[in-house]
Amino acid sequence: MRHVFLVNPAAGQQDQTARFTAMADSLHRRHSLNCTLLRTDGPGSAEAAARRLAQTGEPLRLYVCGGDGTAHEAACGIAGFSNAAMTCIPAGTGNDLLRTYARDGYHEGEAAPLTHAERGCPDFSGLPHDKYLSLTEVTNPMHRLWSDGRWNKM
């Protein structure tokens, strides 16, 4: 099985390639895993690299090191390949994907994690709904961008 760290050096505030190289080296030393590190070099390169790796048919574990965009590209690249699986190591500025879907909840610095149950959902009860425009019934402009081919300003 091949273990690949797919690193986006442009993600986040600074290049964290050294940190991920140390992780790969540690996995290799401790568990004798075949670990390599690949750096992305621009938009679309994470998807292309992930697809190229998955197309070999070799069992693949992809460690995506970057932000939400890098994770999205890598997921698109391995989509449909049963030999490939991925995980995300956050290195972006917002890391909204992991903050939203992390099993243990949202982590911010050294603070204790905030779980989904503690964070809760927005509660709009008690608001004067008759005085607001309902945007929940308006088609999302991003969806229309794909359907009718132009950007609609609100």
Side-chain angles (χ1 to χ4, degrees):
M1 179 175 301
R2 188 165 182 196
H3 296 261
V4 178
F5 284 75
L6 187 57
V7 178
N8 180 353
Q13 303 292 330
Q14 63 187 17
D15 185 353
Q16 298 184 53
T17 303
R19 174 180 160 222
F20 301 125
T21 301
M23 285 181 173
D25 291 344
S26 177
L27 280 175
H28 177 70
R29 271 193 324 276
R30 291 180 172 183
H31 304 287
S32 300
L33 298 177
N34 175 14
C35 294
T36 55
L37 187 134
L38 297 175
R39 292 170 49 116
T40 63
D41 58 5
S45 64
E47 182 174 353
R51 182 171 292 115
R52 193 171 50 251
L53 290 163
Q55 285 175 334
T56 66
E58 179 182 4
L60 172 67
R61 296 301 171 260
L62 198 58
Y63 303 84
V64 181
C65 309
D68 297 337
T70 311
H72 173 76
E73 283 189 16
C76 289
I78 66 168
F81 292 95
S82 61
N83 60 308
M86 69 175 257
T87 191
C88 299
I89 303 173
T93 52
N95 301 309
D96 294 325
L97 177 70
L98 287 181
R99 186 172 55 208
T100 303
Y101 296 107
R103 180 170 43 128
D104 298 329
Y106 173 60
H107 295 262
E108 182 67 51
E110 298 299 318
L114 180 62
T115 66
H116 297 288
E118 293 167 327
R119 185 175 352 148
C121 296
D123 182 8
F124 301 110
S125 60
L127 290 175
H129 295 289
D130 60 328
K131 297 187 188 281
Y132 295 99
L133 172 67
S134 174
L135 295 178
T136 58
E137 297 168 7
V138 176
T139 302
N140 182 337
M142 287 304 293
H143 296 169
R144 293 205 50 203
L145 175 67
W146 300 113
S147 63
D148 65 14
R150 63 185 176 87
W151 178 252
N152 299 298
K153 293 186 179 182
M154 295 177 67

